[in-house]
Amino acid sequence: MTWNQEFERWNNFADLDPALRTELDRLQQDEQSLEDAYYKNLEFGTGGMRGKLGPGTNRMNIYTIRRAAEGLAAYVESKNAKEQGVVVAYDSRYMSQEFSIETAKVLGRHGIQSYVFSSLRPTPELSFAVRHLGAAAGVVVTASHNPPEYNGFKAYNSDGGQLPPNEASTVIDMVNKVENELEVEVAEQSEIEASGLLKWIDEEVDKAYLDALQSVHVHPRISEIAKDLSVVFTPLHGTAKMLVEKGLQSMGVQNVHTVEEQAQPDPEFSTVASPNPEEHQAFEMAIKKGKELGSDILIATDPDADRLGVAVPDESGEYQVLTGNQTGALLIDYLLSQSEQVPKNGIVIKTIVTSEFGRVIANHYGASSLDTLTGFKFIGEKIKEYEETGEHSFLFGYEESYGYLVKDFARDKDAVQAAVLSAEVAAYWKSKGMTLLEALEELYQQHGYFLEDLQSLTMEGKSGSEQIEEIMNDFRSNPPKNAGGLKVLAVEDYSTSERLTTEGDKEVIELPKANVLKFILENDSWFCLRPSGTEPKIKFYYGVKTSSKEDSQNLIKSLKETVNEQINRTV
């Protein structure tokens, strides 16, 4: 169908939800927005789906949620796992609770058991709950750190990880077989509650998760070294407040100061421009409170609590927000340095766009490392594989985008685990008379000055998607031979699984196919292009290593100039 025909199909649907009907009537005055809402189905990809709220096949609404849930129901039925059921959690966004109930109603129509949290919970607790309850699958309704007008539907397998490619492909096919999202049948909420097909869960799972959280601690005298630590914490209007506060208190931190203005759930995220701890402005209120209290560490979690940001004071008392790569390096170094014995088969797992710093630190302590594609589902998939084969012992997994996993009782990035471990690392270095920045500087002196940067271009709508495709095609067909004054040694094209060197040698990349390009340069430097799978963005990653901060900063700047010149010639 054309977008006009799709619109007419919705417009002529007599039983359209009243709120969506009102919005659809308003939308008819804006043809460009109307086309964007109907020119395609909201894509259900390997990470589920995410999009703007509103009427339309390309929007998040009760009908596109039902379509996704219908496909998931078919997947559970194909596994003969109706009784195992599906766990459903949701965050603080508009319509999150409603979408969770719609999911349970679709599942209930198929006779599938659903376990739904009675109030908002973090994504990592959903991952834990799937494993704890022995469920066949999980769903969390969230758009992570996207703007307020977004929401999403993330699907998990029985291992508690986001669906890896093979399983995701099966679910995607089943979702795509749903021809008319307006006609997906649902059960009545009261009926599935009465029959027990909808069970509300909360405190029992909370307790089990908090018990498991104790295993994250490393130091034998954690309560002793943590008692004088001053922590400022902000959940950025999201889901992490209860679990992080209890986790910090149970480890002995007596001075936990929550940013009260950001403590309550708020779908508008009204105190920040973006509820993303990667953005330094998200720390403004925490920094103000930290300066008032002279706190040792500031911790921020994104709305669904799978990402963690950390800020620490420098010599002048100003707070510096650490990058995800820097926090990851500090956590890896602490975990391995404090281990009585690093397992011979121990492994740190990171992504292809994450700093080489972590690999160097892991190797220093005798551990190996592995790169996966971007997306924590690939890290979770490897954890499961190693658990089954015994080939490696999982030590730590992380992404540069502020996602970390310390212990594998969850199989997705876990900001609650990362929060309590970051506080422990800060307490440890404080007991040695050092700040986290000073500890980081020691690592640079020991291993080299690694520096990374990220640049994003937002290109919304149909035209934006076309521009992103043009950029990727141009870098594929016209790869730069030099960047930032450095020679390009090889190009890795993950869409073809090939690594082509400038000498003409071809190597196979043993990773799933993905629309990603990585350019390997001289002197341990690199840059990478990757369209986002969840946002209308293309991302450019840069990584360098030199002997000083100034040299690394200058080299990053030169790399970005080279890349931007080619982008500007393309769009």
Side-chain angles (χ1 to χ4, degrees):
M1 289 187 182
T2 65
W3 73 262
N4 307 78
Q5 291 171 319
E6 290 283 20
F7 159 67
E8 289 297 338
R9 181 169 62 87
W10 274 56
N11 197 38
N12 294 329
F13 184 56
D15 295 326
L16 193 69
D17 175 78
L20 291 175
R21 167 63 66 191
T22 299
E23 180 64 14
L24 189 59
D25 291 343
R26 186 197 64 78
L27 203 60
Q28 293 184 54
Q29 311 305 314
D30 182 352
E31 184 169 317
Q32 184 176 350
S33 295
L34 195 65
E35 179 182 4
D36 190 57
Y38 285 97
Y39 84 95
K40 66 174 183 178
N41 284 332
L42 185 61
E43 183 179 356
F44 192 99
T46 56
M49 65 182 189
R50 187 181 299 184
K52 291 182 178 180
L53 293 160
T57 57
N58 190 32
R59 294 289 184 263
M60 289 291 298
N61 50 65
I62 61 170
Y63 303 109
T64 52
I65 282 286
R66 288 174 181 176
R67 178 173 181 264
E70 182 76 5
L72 184 65
Y75 168 77
V76 173
E77 287 179 321
S78 73
K79 296 284 187 180
N80 295 315
K82 287 185 177 183
E83 292 183 1
Q84 284 180 257
V86 178
V87 186
V88 184
Y90 59 91
D91 69 5
S92 55
R93 290 179 174 272
Y94 288 117
M95 298 298 293
S96 283
Q97 185 178 41
E98 291 88 343
F99 289 166
S100 296
I101 293 171
E102 289 297 326
T103 300
K105 287 161 63 176
V106 172
L107 295 171
R109 179 69 178 76
H110 288 266
I112 297 172
Q113 176 72 61
S114 62
Y115 302 92
V116 184
F117 281 97
S118 58
S119 58
L120 53 83
R121 288 296 188 283
T123 288
E125 188 174 3
L126 179 280
S127 173
F128 171 82
V130 170
R131 298 172 58 77
H132 178 70
L133 296 171
V139 170
V140 59
V141 178
T142 179
S144 189
H145 56 274
N146 277 61
E149 63 269 23
Y150 281 78
N151 213 326
F153 179 105
K154 288 166 65 174
Y156 290 74
N157 63 11
S158 60
D159 192 52
Q162 291 187 51
L163 296 173
N166 288 339
E167 285 180 276
S169 178
T170 300
V171 176
I172 290 167
D173 287 344
M174 291 175 170
V175 171
N176 290 338
K177 286 178 181 177
V178 180
E179 294 183 355
N180 190 339
E181 68 284 344
L182 299 175
E183 295 180 355
V184 173
E185 295 184 9
V186 298
E188 290 295 327
Q189 180 180 340
S190 58
E191 291 178 3
I192 55 177
E193 284 177 324
S195 68
L197 282 175
L198 169 55
K199 291 184 178 178
W200 299 99
I201 56 173
D202 41 48
E203 292 182 4
E204 186 271 330
V205 179
D206 293 340
K207 183 181 184 304
Y209 177 89
L210 288 167
D211 287 345
L213 192 63
Q214 298 302 311
S215 66
V216 170
H217 301 304
V218 177
H219 201 283
R221 296 180 290 105
I222 180 59
S223 59
E224 181 180 330
I225 67 168
K227 68 179 187 300
D228 295 325
L229 188 74
S230 176
V231 178
V232 169
F233 164 58
T234 173
L236 296 178
H237 302 294
T239 59
K241 183 178 186 294
M242 180 269 290
L243 290 180
V244 169
E245 287 181 345
K246 287 188 175 182
L248 292 172
Q249 290 163 3
S250 69
M251 68 179 272
V253 181
Q254 297 176 13
N255 301 299
V256 179
H257 310 279
T258 301
V259 179
E260 293 303 327
E261 299 92 332
Q262 298 174 329
Q264 296 307 312
D266 175 8
E268 282 294 324
F269 311 110
S270 53
T271 65
V272 290
S274 170
N276 183 359
E278 291 181 84
E279 305 290 343
H280 291 194
Q281 57 78 30
F283 274 92
E284 287 179 1
M285 287 189 170
I287 288 174
K288 181 181 178 182
K289 196 173 190 72
K291 286 182 176 180
E292 292 172 357
L293 299 168
S295 295
D296 303 298
I297 184 172
L298 317 180
I299 292 172
T301 54
D302 72 341
D304 69 323
D306 62 354
R307 299 180 189 230
L308 174 93
V310 170
V312 290
D314 60 19
E315 293 179 352
S316 67
E318 294 295 323
Y319 284 89
Q320 304 297 320
V321 179
L322 301 182
T323 69
N325 288 313
Q326 290 172 329
T327 299
L330 285 164
L331 297 181
I332 293 169
D333 180 73
Y334 178 76
L335 286 169
L336 301 187
S337 68
Q338 298 302 304
S339 176
E340 291 184 4
Q341 184 176 3
V342 176
K344 290 183 179 180
N345 66 342
I347 192 165
V348 169
I349 309 176
K350 68 181 191 69
T351 70
I352 59 173
V353 296
T354 301
S355 174
E356 294 296 295
F357 201 9
R359 188 193 315 280
V360 169
I361 294 170
N363 293 345
H364 174 74
Y365 290 104
S368 59
S369 61
L370 175 79
D371 281 2
T372 70
L373 289 178
T374 304
F376 223 88
K377 58 182 170 286
F378 297 109
I379 294 177
E381 185 179 30
K382 280 296 179 184
I383 294 172
K384 181 180 181 182
E385 176 187 325
Y386 295 148
E387 185 177 58
E388 292 172 348
T389 65
E391 179 183 356
H392 288 290
S393 176
F394 173 73
L395 300 175
F396 187 74
Y398 76 120
E399 297 179 305
E400 50 76 37
S401 54
Y402 287 50
Y404 319 94
L405 183 63
V406 187
K407 293 293 184 180
D408 62 6
F409 57 78
R411 294 295 166 91
D412 201 355
K413 49 188 178 285
D414 189 339
V416 182
Q417 289 191 37
V420 298
L421 182 63
S422 295
E424 178 171 336
V425 177
Y428 171 80
W429 286 112
K430 183 176 182 178
S431 73
K432 302 295 182 183
M434 294 172 61
T435 67
L436 285 180
L437 280 180
E438 290 169 334
L440 183 62
E441 185 60 33
E442 281 199 356
L443 290 178
Y444 285 138
Q445 295 296 326
Q446 186 176 7
H447 302 294
Y449 209 99
F450 290 84
L451 186 65
E452 296 77 32
D453 203 355
L454 171 64
Q455 182 181 12
S456 295
L457 292 179
T458 299
M459 298 178 170
E460 295 189 339
K462 184 180 179 182
S463 62
S465 297
E466 291 170 350
Q467 283 184 307
I468 289 173
E469 186 176 353
E470 286 177 14
I471 292 171
M472 294 299 293
N473 289 340
D474 185 66
F475 273 85
R476 281 194 171 95
S477 58
N478 302 295
K481 296 181 180 179
N482 294 276
L486 298 177
K487 183 181 178 182
V488 175
L489 301 179
V491 181
E492 297 178 348
D493 190 341
Y494 290 84
S495 69
T496 60
S497 299
E498 286 185 344
R499 186 179 197 269
L500 179 63
T501 71
T502 52
E503 304 300 322
D505 297 326
K506 281 187 179 181
E507 301 172 8
V508 176
I509 300 173
E510 299 291 345
L511 288 174
K513 292 182 186 291
N515 187 20
V516 178
L517 283 171
K518 187 171 183 179
F519 294 82
I520 310 301
L521 312 176
E522 296 175 295
N523 301 341
D524 297 319
S525 298
W526 55 273
F527 70 92
C528 182
L529 287 71
R530 184 182 74 88
S532 172
T534 56
E535 301 171 274
K537 291 180 178 181
I538 181 170
K539 297 184 177 182
F540 305 87
Y541 303 82
Y542 305 89
V544 302
K545 174 193 172 186
T546 71
S547 58
S548 73
K549 180 178 182 179
E550 184 179 5
D551 287 347
S552 291
Q553 288 174 331
N554 290 335
L555 183 52
I556 285 273
K557 182 180 178 182
S558 296
L559 283 181
K560 291 172 72 174
E561 288 173 352
T562 299
V563 172
N564 286 327
E565 285 175 6
Q566 184 159 342
I567 296 169
N568 292 334
R569 291 196 300 267
T570 306
V571 297

